[in-house]
Amino acid sequence: MINVQRYVFVSILALLFFAAGCSSPRHFAAESLELDYVKRIVVLPFENNTETKFAGQRFRDIVTTEILSAGLFDVVERGESQRFLREEVVSKEQEIIDQATALRLGQELNVEAYLAGAVNDFSERQNGSYNYPVVAATLRLVDVKTGQIIWQAGDSESGYRTFDRLFGFAAPDINQVGYRLARRLLSTIKGR
């Protein structure tokens, strides 16, 4: 009888841990616009708000891979977007894309929207002898013609797993956690 009670207790506990880890990211989608018109996008460099060198570039590559593997949008090759940004943004000594630049971006690269983002955490944490990664980011999709944010999502993902810690298993690496976060954020895009 004690084994059955223990099994039920452990099953309920496992279900609670699973449910706690499955929360939906905070997100916004403009109700006035359907995203079906967006076929091709450019992924701009992400802001790196961390102390981890190249975190923005690494997460940008992860997000681009997830967009392509999910078939959400066609994506402009990074070299083309970097060329445009060098010519248009850096030459004017501005850090952000204003509306006029966004319009030229849309025309020159034949895109309906651009994806911008910020990486807010890309680090390794420690709990006793257990090391695990944490990734936090915000992504936003902006219409190049209107400058309106048509979708935005943000959240964090941790590689911490109680089961792994208790039984001495290694945590997933930071890239695996980044891919999980990117998938969760992009899953909130409706109409795709």
Side-chain angles (χ1 to χ4, degrees):
M1 188 63 147
I2 292 177
N3 286 338
V4 172
Q5 289 174 337
R6 185 178 298 161
Y7 175 76
V8 170
F9 176 74
V10 169
S11 296
I12 291 172
L13 191 60
L15 186 59
L16 289 173
F17 280 126
F18 178 75
C22 294
S23 64
S24 178
R26 299 278 301 161
H27 69 280
F28 159 82
E31 292 181 19
S32 61
L33 294 173
E34 290 293 324
L35 292 178
D36 291 339
Y37 77 97
V38 179
K39 305 290 184 214
R40 182 174 155 97
I41 67 168
V42 61
V43 180
L44 298 180
F46 291 173
E47 295 174 46
N48 183 4
N49 299 326
T50 74
E51 293 183 16
T52 305
K53 194 171 185 178
F54 305 117
Q57 293 174 14
R58 289 173 66 186
F59 195 65
R60 176 187 182 194
D61 288 343
I62 288 170
V63 168
T64 301
T65 301
E66 283 301 312
I67 289 169
L68 292 170
S69 69
L72 291 174
F73 308 107
D74 291 333
V75 178
V76 172
E77 199 277 322
R78 182 178 11 184
E80 281 298 302
S81 63
Q82 287 176 326
R83 179 198 53 78
F84 177 86
L85 293 172
R86 251 191 330 272
E87 292 173 2
E88 291 290 327
V89 178
V90 175
S91 67
K92 294 181 180 152
E93 296 181 7
Q94 62 190 49
E95 292 183 23
I96 59 172
I97 293 190
D98 59 20
Q99 186 57 43
T101 305
L103 284 169
R104 284 192 301 281
L105 175 85
Q107 292 168 348
E108 189 169 324
L109 299 180
N110 192 28
V111 296
E112 294 83 22
Y114 65 83
L115 184 76
V119 179
N120 302 313
D121 197 348
F122 204 82
S123 63
E124 292 286 335
R125 305 272 175 85
Q126 188 167 5
N127 187 336
S129 63
Y130 183 69
N131 294 322
Y132 62 95
V134 175
V135 179
T138 302
L139 303 176
R140 69 184 175 283
L141 192 63
V142 180
D143 183 287
V144 294
K145 290 182 181 170
T146 66
Q148 180 180 2
I149 296 174
I150 52 179
W151 170 85
Q152 182 164 323
D155 208 353
S156 64
E157 182 77 29
S158 169
Y160 184 88
R161 301 290 176 260
T162 303
F163 181 85
D164 293 348
R165 180 172 182 241
L166 290 175
F167 293 101
F169 295 112
D173 70 33
I174 199 158
N175 286 328
Q176 292 169 317
V177 172
Y179 275 106
R180 278 200 320 245
L181 176 60
R183 261 191 305 277
R184 283 193 321 112
L185 293 174
L186 295 169
S187 73
T188 66
I189 296 178
K190 303 293 184 218
R192 298 316 244 162

